[in-house]
Amino acid sequence: MRRVSKLSQVAVAVASLALAASACGKTSDEASKDDGKDKGSAGSSEYKGKGIGLAYDIGGKGDQSFNDAAYAGYSKAREEFKIGGVDMEPGDGESSADKVQRLEQLARQGYDPVVGVGFVYAPAVQAAAKKYPDTTFGIIDDNTVKADNVVDLVFHEEQGSYLAGVAAAKVSKAKHVGFVGGVDIPLIHKFEAGFVQGVKSVDPKIEIEKRYLTEKPEEGGFSSPDKGQNAASGQIEAGADVIYHAAGLSGQGVIQEVGSQKKWAIGVDSDQYKQKALAKYKDHILGSAFKDVGGAVYDLTKSVVQGKPMKGEQRYDLKSGRVGFSDSNPKYTAMKDVVAAVEKAKKDIISGKVKVKIAP
């Protein structure tokens, strides 16, 4: 999705961002809500920032998954702390230099913290943080950037995926399930590893279809619903009756195909049962292996507003509550044996009885 900001009371600040849109993406229409006069009223009186700056990953806002989860945390922080903010979309076919320029624009305009949504921002965060040492930068899903003013917001995705695997194995009548990964990279391998281990913990004989949509992010693995739909169709044809995706916007296609064929889909990152764009298929969304990206964005913003910025690596897990398996679908909660199995698996992971793999 591409949105151009409505210039209002922050016309000067937002306009300067918009002038760079051709090189570094487009600002969201939410940016115009900041008047710059109420910053920090719910936090520290020492907070001098203009608000939070959020730069989206591939797929942008409206992916009903990863980016939308980040936006939820951005919105909550703005509302609770009475601060402004700008959220910016990625440009089509942009370079690493474009990402650097986007983050530097946000820092130069006074936004603090500045958050890069996704590991693709690692080089840009590294460069921008060095140039703006007084600004706190956050990066989601990457822990390679090490600097005093950088916070790595990372998750034990494999733990939530293990729970998804347990649920999938318990509800599969065909004893045949599927996994669709957006891009063939180590981060998504964690989702596969946890899911497969969870499935096998219930029944080692269950057959598992596996498919990665692309080898590189720029090839559309996280932003192509049609690719997800085709992959799901192939897995269902092969016999799978439950499919778990870790594919961002492409996952919409997975869920649409699974729902239209009246099989079970398992969502990711956000609680996809609650996503309006997927309402038509929600009865077939068993649950979602969520990671609370929004909560991480909120936590970081809170720390900055209150004058005690986070530092270093912040890794969230099942015990923290920022990783888990959603239970919004009444059809899922009605399956008492499935719920019990998932809850037992959760307790075993938290206690250390079960160690979840991070690679297939």
Side-chain angles (χ1 to χ4, degrees):
M1 297 179 97
R2 295 288 179 266
R3 291 177 172 80
V4 179
S5 61
K6 300 173 184 177
L7 303 178
S8 61
Q9 294 169 310
V10 286
V12 176
V14 179
S16 62
L17 285 168
L19 287 172
S22 61
C24 58
K26 299 179 182 180
T27 61
S28 162
D29 53 8
E30 290 298 319
S32 64
K33 294 181 180 178
D34 173 31
D35 64 8
K37 295 178 181 179
D38 56 0
K39 56 191 177 186
S41 60
S44 169
S45 60
E46 298 301 315
Y47 178 64
K48 304 299 182 183
K50 184 174 288 186
I52 177 175
L54 191 71
Y56 293 116
D57 195 3
I58 295 169
K61 188 165 72 176
D63 66 352
Q64 309 296 319
S65 184
F66 184 65
N67 288 294
D68 281 3
Y71 176 73
Y74 160 90
S75 298
K76 179 181 178 182
R78 287 188 61 190
E79 180 178 356
E80 185 166 326
F81 303 122
K82 309 302 180 186
I83 59 175
V86 168
D87 57 325
M88 300 187 71
E89 299 280 358
D92 293 327
E94 68 180 21
S95 66
S96 293
D98 295 327
K99 290 182 174 63
V100 173
Q101 185 176 357
R102 179 179 304 122
L103 299 187
E104 289 185 353
Q105 284 277 349
L106 290 168
R108 184 162 57 250
Q109 291 295 328
Y111 293 97
D112 189 11
V114 173
V115 183
V117 185
F119 65 89
V120 293
Y121 277 97
V125 168
Q126 184 82 60
K130 184 176 182 180
K131 189 170 182 178
Y132 294 92
D134 294 330
T135 298
T136 297
F137 290 83
I139 181 167
I140 298 169
D141 282 353
D142 181 271
N143 66 344
T144 65
V145 183
K146 306 299 181 184
D148 290 342
N149 61 326
V150 174
V151 184
D152 299 322
L153 302 168
V154 287
F155 301 81
H156 280 291
E157 297 92 349
E158 72 281 1
Q159 294 182 352
S161 297
Y162 184 101
L163 302 185
V166 170
K170 293 291 289 185
V171 303
S172 176
K173 295 180 179 179
K175 300 301 179 183
H176 195 154
V177 302
F179 170 79
V180 176
V183 181
D184 191 359
I185 53 177
L187 173 64
I188 307 303
H189 296 167
K190 291 174 68 179
F191 290 89
E192 178 195 344
F195 179 70
V196 170
Q197 187 179 348
V199 169
K200 297 297 184 181
S201 74
V202 174
D203 184 350
K205 297 181 180 179
I206 289 181
E207 190 171 352
I208 305 174
E209 300 291 328
K210 305 170 190 175
R211 169 80 180 273
Y212 285 91
L213 302 181
T214 64
E215 292 185 2
K216 299 178 181 179
E218 56 267 29
E219 294 171 340
F222 291 132
S223 57
S224 306
D226 59 323
K227 294 182 187 296
Q229 186 172 6
N230 290 336
S233 177
Q235 292 190 349
I236 291 172
E237 186 175 344
D241 61 354
V242 187
I243 298 179
Y244 170 47
H245 86 85
L249 181 62
S250 299
Q252 285 193 30
V254 173
I255 291 173
Q256 289 166 3
E257 181 65 18
V258 173
S260 67
Q261 297 205 37
K262 301 187 185 307
K263 307 297 183 181
W264 282 117
I266 297 178
V268 78
D269 294 340
S270 300
D271 183 352
Q272 297 202 282
Y273 178 85
K274 295 181 178 180
Q275 297 289 351
K276 292 181 180 179
L278 297 170
K280 180 179 178 180
Y281 310 98
K282 69 178 185 178
D283 285 347
H284 298 283
I285 300 175
L286 183 68
S288 299
F290 72 82
K291 60 181 186 182
D292 192 0
V293 173
V297 171
Y298 171 87
D299 290 346
L300 175 60
T301 306
K302 179 179 180 180
S303 75
V304 174
V305 171
Q306 294 186 341
K308 298 179 181 179
M310 289 178 169
K311 294 183 181 296
E313 180 177 310
Q314 302 289 324
R315 187 173 292 276
Y316 299 97
D317 58 10
L318 283 178
K319 188 175 181 179
S320 73
R322 296 288 193 216
V323 172
F325 188 77
S326 64
D327 59 359
S328 299
N329 191 340
K331 291 184 177 180
Y332 167 76
T333 55
M335 302 176 191
K336 302 302 182 183
D337 60 327
V338 180
V339 173
V342 171
E343 285 300 310
K344 182 181 184 302
K346 179 180 177 179
K347 290 178 181 179
D348 287 346
I349 293 170
I350 291 175
S351 71
K353 183 178 180 179
V354 171
K355 301 291 186 182
V356 187
K357 299 176 182 179
I358 61 173

